[in-house]
Amino acid sequence: SNLFSNVSSCIRKKFLAHIPFNNDIVFAEDREWFIKVIKAGYTIVYEPNSIVYHSHNYSLKYNFKRAFDFGISSNKWEGQLNLENKISFFDLLFRFFNHIYRDYIFMKRNKISLKFKWLSYGAIWRFAIFIAQWLGAHYKYLPKTIRKKLSTAPQMFNKQ
């Protein structure tokens, strides 16, 4: 797998001292660390029985900016792994509809009222996030002033 999230992970202190996280990275430092670990010949073990509740109460505007930064990071790190799955518009479109379907199934399984209001709100939310990821993946084509407005960390564009 090419996915590692530090939301629920366990890393030996000695190992972390050997391959530390890069504190200069604004977003997706866990993905950059994952690449260093894999390139060093180590393996990441996924434990499906690990349970974590992880939540944020971010506004749509802030989540849009996070998704933009994620789009930048995803292409950067996946490019370092020489993967062929860079973010394309069609990939995001597929993921958008897949997430909407999964939202529907979640609501149905948990007996949450399937009101049009909630499904349409979820669709708008997902669409905004996926557009932000796509824009982030193609940030080099955007003017610096736009990049700064779309990011949670506009200072990262000062060097560019």
Side-chain angles (χ1 to χ4, degrees), residues 78-92:
E78 290 172 4
Q80 286 187 20
L81 285 175
N82 297 319
L83 298 175
E84 296 299 320
N85 60 346
K86 297 216 182 240
I87 296 176
S88 73
F89 185 76
F90 293 108
D91 175 50
L92 288 177

Side-chain angles (χ1 to χ4, degrees), residues 22-78:
N22 183 346
N23 293 328
D24 294 331
I25 295 178
V26 174
F27 195 86
E29 69 288 343
D30 49 359
R31 293 194 48 108
E32 193 261 355
W33 182 83
F34 163 82
I35 290 166
K36 288 193 285 189
V37 168
I38 297 301
K39 284 185 172 183
Y42 295 101
T43 330
I44 302 288
V45 176
Y46 172 70
E47 176 50 60
N49 293 320
S50 172
I51 298 173
V52 64
Y53 290 101
H54 181 85
S55 175
H56 299 285
N57 194 17
Y58 298 145
S59 68
L60 179 58
K61 180 179 177 181
Y62 188 76
N63 261 339
F64 187 94
K65 290 180 173 200
R66 281 178 49 89
F68 177 77
D69 294 340
F70 177 79
I72 293 169
S73 298
S74 288
N75 272 354
K76 183 176 183 180
W77 307 142
E78 290 172 4

Side-chain angles (χ1 to χ4, degrees), residues 8-152:
S8 174
S9 64
C10 181
I11 305 166
R12 291 180 194 258
K13 188 176 181 179
K14 206 185 301 184
F15 185 75
L16 197 53
H18 175 64
I19 303 179
F21 280 89
N22 183 346
N23 293 328
D24 294 331
I25 295 178
V26 174
F27 195 86
E29 69 288 343
D30 49 359
R31 293 194 48 108
E32 193 261 355
W33 182 83
F34 163 82
I35 290 166
K36 288 193 285 189
V37 168
I38 297 301
K39 284 185 172 183
Y42 295 101
T43 330
I44 302 288
V45 176
Y46 172 70
E47 176 50 60
N49 293 320
S50 172
I51 298 173
V52 64
Y53 290 101
H54 181 85
S55 175
H56 299 285
N57 194 17
Y58 298 145
S59 68
L60 179 58
K61 180 179 177 181
Y62 188 76
N63 261 339
F64 187 94
K65 290 180 173 200
R66 281 178 49 89
F68 177 77
D69 294 340
F70 177 79
I72 293 169
S73 298
S74 288
N75 272 354
K76 183 176 183 180
W77 307 142
E78 290 172 4
Q80 286 187 20
L81 285 175
N82 297 319
L83 298 175
E84 296 299 320
N85 60 346
K86 297 216 182 240
I87 296 176
S88 73
F89 185 76
F90 293 108
D91 175 50
L92 288 177
L93 196 60
F94 172 78
R95 286 169 41 195
F96 167 72
F97 285 112
N98 184 36
H99 277 83
I100 297 299
Y101 175 73
R102 288 172 42 199
D103 289 344
Y104 170 78
I105 295 300
F106 175 83
M107 291 174 75
K108 195 170 179 178
R109 267 194 205 129
N110 291 288
K111 297 179 177 33
I112 298 170
S113 175
L114 295 173
K115 293 182 179 176
F116 179 74
K117 175 179 111 175
W118 291 116
L119 287 174
S120 57
Y121 179 76
I124 291 166
W125 185 277
R126 298 276 188 200
F127 185 73
I129 299 308
F130 289 133
I131 290 297
Q133 287 178 358
W134 186 81
L135 287 169
H138 300 87
Y139 79 99
K140 290 182 181 178
Y141 302 106
L142 299 172
K144 188 192 265 188
T145 55
I146 300 294
R147 294 178 198 176
K148 285 183 166 191
K149 286 183 183 195
L150 294 179
S151 176
T152 62

